[in-house]
Amino acid sequence: MAEASQMKVSDEIAITIDGMNKWYGSFHVLRDINLTVNRGERIVICGPSGSGKSTLIRCINALEEHQQGKIIVDGTELSSDLKNVDKIRSEVGMCFQHFNLFPHLSILDNCTLAPIWVRKTPKKEAEERAMHFLEKVKIPEQADKFPGQLSGGQQQRVAIARSLCMMPRIMLFDEPTSALDPEMIKEVLDTMIELAEEGMTMLCVTHEMGFARQVANRVIFMDAGQIVEQNEPEEFFNNPKSERTQLFLSQILGH
Amino acid sequence: MTDTSSQIAFVQKEPIPESPPPSTAAGPVKWMRDNLFSGWLNSLLTLAALWAIYVILSGTLPWLLNGVWNADSLAECREILNGKTGACFAVLAERWNQLLFGFKYPADLYWRPTLAFVLLFVAVAPVLFFDLPRKLLMFTALYPFIAFYLIWGGTIWSPIFALAGFAAWYMVFERLGKNSFVQGFFGGAAVAAIVWGIGSFITGAIAPEEPFLQAVPSRDLGGFMLNMMLGVTCVSLSIPIGIVLALGRQSDMPLIKIICVVFIEFIRGVPLITLLFVASVMLAYFFPPDSTVDLFLRVVIMITVFSAAYIAEVIRGGLAALPTGQYEAADSLGLDYPQAMRLIILPQALKISIPGIVNVAVGLFKDTTLVSVISMFDLLGMIRGPILASTEWNGVYWELLGFAALLFFVVCYGISQYSQWLERRLATDHR
């Protein structure tokens, strides 16, 4: 279990967030966020609801606009230049709480659409790659079905495969298991663990503390729009420094 | 204690076998008892309904069945009927061509609109039924020019240069559109305008005195043909324009958004009749003074604009019904705006909007009869004008208007059935 967390973290920097601030109207959602993510790092972000953790990772692929500070992803700075935004988005995969598969397209088409249209991959190659990743998430037999015919866990795995088909260098997960039945959480987490073991750079907003202990090499705790505490998982769970973190942990690990 | 626990504890050791449903009475008697005579009130209503059906049929059937099909005037019909109830369908037989083509279209050229009508089915088939081979769309793209040439005739160079202009537009768009959609679109438009300008100049110079197909001016068009032409043209133009307006109304760019909102709200706030009067009388002021823009074209513009505004609102509803997650998923995969719209958003939004779009399309098709008000002789204009005003057929209201109703019903029912088939065909999300 400690093995995974010591794998392949390089010195190369994947994401730099420097003094980032964001407001919704006059509401200050993210306050002076500073974060550096190395390539191959697996970060779990947790915190109470409304603490800005989803907003933070949505800023990384520009689904949300930040108003102050710098975000540099893979050497490209996020600015209002649409070319940069599209470039970053094609490098950064994202999985959503509600999967957001395209319901009018088959599973296979869901996976091949972006490679064909954004990366200009030939159709045949895109389909081969899609099947490769669908096998990886263990649902190749569903390729011709439509998202509505799959269970939640299967849909989330398709969503992961869809992101992987773009060959991203970074994966963002926004509460990937919160909308799933308990039985299905494990199959999604297993897929994510496998991905982590292959050295994918991952930022994951989740409340799955078991997952955090097992794969993360850093846990970040956010509250009221700021990063309150970050540490290695062992230290974070066993020996939280701030009072707010202690309270949060006692509440979610209470039972 | 042991007693109660043994009562709570329970183990089902064997699966309960499947058993057939209870044998209740089946067949027509049961169906009638369930659906027609399930209580005294329902029995009473059933009997009342039967009586109403009997009254209606006993009134209309003799009229229909005794109908006279061969006569030269209403007076002759009455003579043949000799006091019996009966319809005078002879008017339909005698004025058949006028009802379909109007009273001025040259009789020896009827084959041209008829051929255009038949080809229409070939042209729309690949659009409506997307399981057909995609190559057929080539013909669909050519169809407007073929139909124009067949119906209006005249020199063949006008439709050819019109086609050349669109082809040039498409080619420029293919070239430039890869980088920027806007550049491709407007660059293409500029090139097309140049081609059309040169084309109209050359056409004026080389057009033969006696063209291969005799030219028919727009004012000679009429009858149901005119309704079909207006309906097909306006529906097929107003759907893409409606899509653009709906997207424009959702745009982040304030100027585009304001233009679209003002346009939609203004057009929706004005009755169609007003727009048609504007088309027939006032629109000429907006064109260069010595240009004569065809009345048909002016009416097409007005009806298209009118229904595009309605379709835009219908599609906006479809867009609003999509969860934002779909936009975000498209964005997060790196799709740009035109791609996201074309591949993800519009296919779903349009699917949701099908009932609304069909509603507008059916309404639009029926509204084409309003052109009779600005003295165009469409089916209704023909009936009210030349036919009912003639000495032979003065007073044959039921037969003529019933026939008009039937023609429109057939087309509109067809559209509605198609839309229901389409909705079933596209239902992928909850099978």
Side-chain angles (χ1 to χ4, degrees):
Chain A
M1 142 168 147
E3 233 174 277
S5 53
Q6 271 144 31
M7 278 176 53
K8 296 186 211 158
V9 177
S10 72
D11 299 338
E12 202 187 328
I13 289 171
I15 303 170
T16 313
I17 300 176
D18 186 16
M20 191 253 280
N21 279 282
K22 174 171 176 60
W23 289 263
Y24 281 130
S26 59
F27 175 56
H28 201 168
V29 259
L30 290 178
R31 303 175 192 185
D32 194 30
I33 304 286
N34 291 294
L35 180 68
T36 309
V37 183
N38 287 345
R39 187 158 302 294
E41 235 189 326
R42 295 164 305 275
I43 294 180
V44 162
I45 304 171
C46 59
S49 76
S51 60
K53 47 196 193 313
S54 288
T55 313
L56 170 62
I57 69 165
R58 287 156 61 86
C59 282
I60 295 174
N61 68 351
L63 285 182
E64 303 278 356
E65 210 180 347
H66 61 283
Q67 278 93 33
Q68 239 176 45
K70 260 199 240 176
I71 302 180
I72 299 169
V73 181
D74 249 347
T76 314
E77 185 178 347
L78 260 186
S79 56
S80 51
D81 185 355
L82 287 176
K83 284 258 152 57
N84 280 355
V85 170
D86 283 340
K87 179 164 179 284
I88 286 172
R89 280 174 177 166
S90 60
E91 301 286 325
V92 179
M94 175 135 187
C95 289
F96 300 89
Q97 182 176 2
H98 296 289
F99 335 129
N100 297 352
L101 294 178
F102 305 131
H104 63 301
L105 298 175
S106 72
I107 299 303
L108 188 65
D109 289 340
N110 261 281
C111 295
T112 56
L113 182 117
I116 288 176
W117 289 91
V118 179
R119 289 253 196 271
K120 316 285 179 210
T121 316
K123 187 162 188 262
K124 193 140 180 282
E125 200 186 318
E127 280 176 359
E128 278 165 14
R129 196 195 295 163
M131 286 313 292
H132 167 75
F133 284 115
L134 285 174
E135 264 160 42
K136 201 174 146 111
V137 300
K138 303 190 181 67
I139 31 176
E141 70 281 0
Q142 314 279 16
D144 295 327
K145 291 197 181 166
F146 286 91
Q149 294 166 290
L150 268 54
S151 74
Q154 289 173 326
Q155 289 194 44
Q156 192 59 291
R157 285 184 284 153
V158 171
I160 294 174
R162 178 176 72 177
S163 303
L164 292 179
C165 283
M166 285 295 280
M167 303 295 200
R169 309 182 67 181
I170 300 163
M171 284 288 289
L172 307 174
F173 293 88
D174 187 1
E175 310 207 23
T177 55
S178 317
L180 296 178
D181 288 341
E183 274 186 320
M184 293 167 181
I185 291 178
K186 185 171 179 297
E187 61 187 52
V188 171
L189 288 182
D190 284 346
T191 309
M192 289 167 63
I193 290 169
E194 202 178 309
L195 204 58
E197 282 167 356
E198 284 165 18
M200 174 69 77
T201 313
M202 289 166 69
L203 267 85
C204 187
V205 173
T206 184
H207 296 123
E208 298 297 329
M209 291 304 141
F211 172 79
R213 276 177 191 268
Q214 192 178 344
V215 297
N217 26 27
R218 201 179 346 158
V219 178
I220 292 177
F221 175 72
M222 286 184 73
D223 186 34
Q226 38 196 327
I227 296 180
V228 173
E229 181 164 353
Q230 50 174 317
N231 214 331
E232 291 183 350
E234 285 304 311
E235 193 64 12
F236 178 84
F237 288 114
N238 299 337
N239 203 358
K241 300 282 184 300
S242 93
E243 249 174 63
R244 187 65 191 86
T245 316
Q246 286 162 9
L247 181 66
F248 176 74
L249 286 177
S250 75
Q251 267 165 354
I252 62 165
L253 301 172
H255 322 263
Chain B
M1 269 324 272
T2 30
D3 268 335
T4 44
S5 71
S6 72
Q7 272 165 13
I8 292 169
F10 169 75
V11 178
Q12 175 75 37
K13 292 220 177 71
E14 278 161 21
I16 300 170
E18 251 182 57
S19 53
S23 56
T24 35
V29 178
K30 174 177 158 44
W31 182 87
M32 273 168 60
R33 206 167 49 214
D34 284 355
N35 295 300
L36 301 179
F37 303 103
S38 59
W40 65 269
L41 182 63
N42 280 346
S43 307
L44 209 66
L45 287 175
T46 304
L47 291 176
L50 284 177
W51 179 76
I53 292 171
Y54 167 77
V55 168
I56 292 170
L57 285 186
S58 65
T60 50
L61 272 186
W63 184 77
L64 280 172
L65 297 176
N66 280 343
V68 177
W69 287 91
N70 277 315
D72 285 331
S73 67
L74 183 58
E76 202 184 322
C77 267
R78 291 197 173 128
E79 228 166 80
I80 296 173
L81 285 169
N82 199 13
K84 280 186 292 180
T85 346
C88 187
F89 292 124
V91 63
L92 302 181
E94 207 233 7
R95 297 294 175 110
W96 179 253
N97 284 329
Q98 282 196 358
L99 287 168
L100 292 192
F101 301 105
F103 66 117
K104 279 204 227 143
Y105 204 88
D108 54 330
L109 302 182
Y110 284 160
W111 65 272
R112 279 162 41 180
T114 313
L115 179 60
F117 179 67
V118 172
L119 289 180
L120 173 68
F121 289 95
V122 185
V124 295
V127 179
L128 299 186
F129 304 100
F130 28 78
D131 294 326
L132 292 172
R134 296 291 79 194
K135 291 223 168 95
L136 279 175
L137 283 173
M138 281 299 289
F139 181 76
T140 310
L142 292 178
Y143 179 77
F145 307 99
I146 297 174
F148 172 84
Y149 183 55
L150 280 173
I151 292 172
W152 275 274
T155 168
I156 195 168
W157 293 108
S158 318
I160 283 183
F161 276 113
L163 178 61
F166 280 109
W169 192 335
Y170 177 74
M171 275 176 344
V172 173
F173 179 74
E174 278 288 283
R175 189 66 60 80
L176 292 180
K178 283 209 176 74
N179 296 324
S180 149
F181 182 84
V182 178
Q183 242 178 47
F185 185 81
F186 287 105
V191 174
I194 293 170
V195 172
W196 287 326
I198 298 173
S200 72
F201 182 73
I202 298 180
T203 309
I206 62 172
E209 287 290 307
E210 287 285 316
F212 181 63
L213 289 187
Q214 186 192 328
V216 179
S218 288
R219 62 175 181 278
D220 289 359
L221 304 174
F224 194 59
M225 172 179 77
L226 188 58
N227 295 111
M228 282 299 286
M229 285 163 63
L230 286 171
V232 172
T233 321
C234 296
V235 169
S236 42
L237 288 177
S238 61
I239 291 176
I241 296 176
I243 293 173
V244 171
L245 284 173
L247 293 179
R249 194 168 182 166
Q250 297 230 312
S251 170
D252 296 332
M253 289 176 252
L255 191 63
I256 291 181
K257 187 178 172 139
I258 288 173
I259 291 174
C260 290
V261 170
V262 168
F263 180 88
I264 291 171
E265 294 302 335
F266 176 73
I267 297 290
R268 285 202 314 161
V270 177
L272 179 56
I273 292 267
T274 319
L275 289 179
L276 288 176
F277 275 121
V278 168
S280 78
V281 186
M282 283 168 57
L283 204 59
Y285 295 123
F286 294 101
F287 291 110
D290 46 348
S291 72
T292 49
V293 177
D294 197 271
L295 177 63
F296 180 81
L297 182 60
R298 280 180 276 163
V299 168
V300 163
I301 291 175
M302 281 310 182
I303 300 183
T304 302
V305 157
F306 184 76
S307 53
Y310 277 88
I311 287 180
E313 285 300 280
V314 170
I315 293 175
R316 188 167 72 100
L319 289 171
L322 280 193
T324 45
Q326 292 293 312
Y327 292 86
E328 288 175 355
D331 283 348
S332 76
L333 286 169
L335 296 169
D336 59 22
Y337 179 80
Q339 287 171 341
M341 287 300 138
R342 213 183 102 201
L343 301 167
I344 309 298
I345 305 301
L346 283 177
Q348 296 183 61
L350 290 179
K351 191 173 89 184
I352 302 172
S353 321
I354 289 172
I357 293 176
V358 167
N359 207 5
V360 175
V362 165
L364 178 155
F365 182 61
K366 290 181 297 179
D367 281 353
T368 57
T369 53
L370 286 177
V371 298
S372 63
V373 177
I374 52 167
S375 55
M376 285 174 92
F377 290 97
D378 74 313
L379 180 58
L380 219 61
M382 283 306 295
I383 292 173
R384 291 184 338 140
I387 299 180
L388 278 178
S390 66
T391 44
E392 298 96 331
W393 303 111
N394 191 352
V396 222
Y397 291 101
W398 283 96
E399 294 82 348
L400 285 168
L401 294 175
F403 174 69
L406 182 72
L407 276 187
F408 278 98
F409 174 77
V410 167
V411 176
C412 295
Y413 186 69
I415 297 175
S416 126
Q417 286 301 303
Y418 167 74
S419 85
Q420 284 177 26
W421 172 85
L422 187 64
E423 277 177 65
R424 282 196 302 274
R425 173 69 175 68
L426 293 178
T428 54
D429 41 353
H430 33 99
R431 295 198 274 214

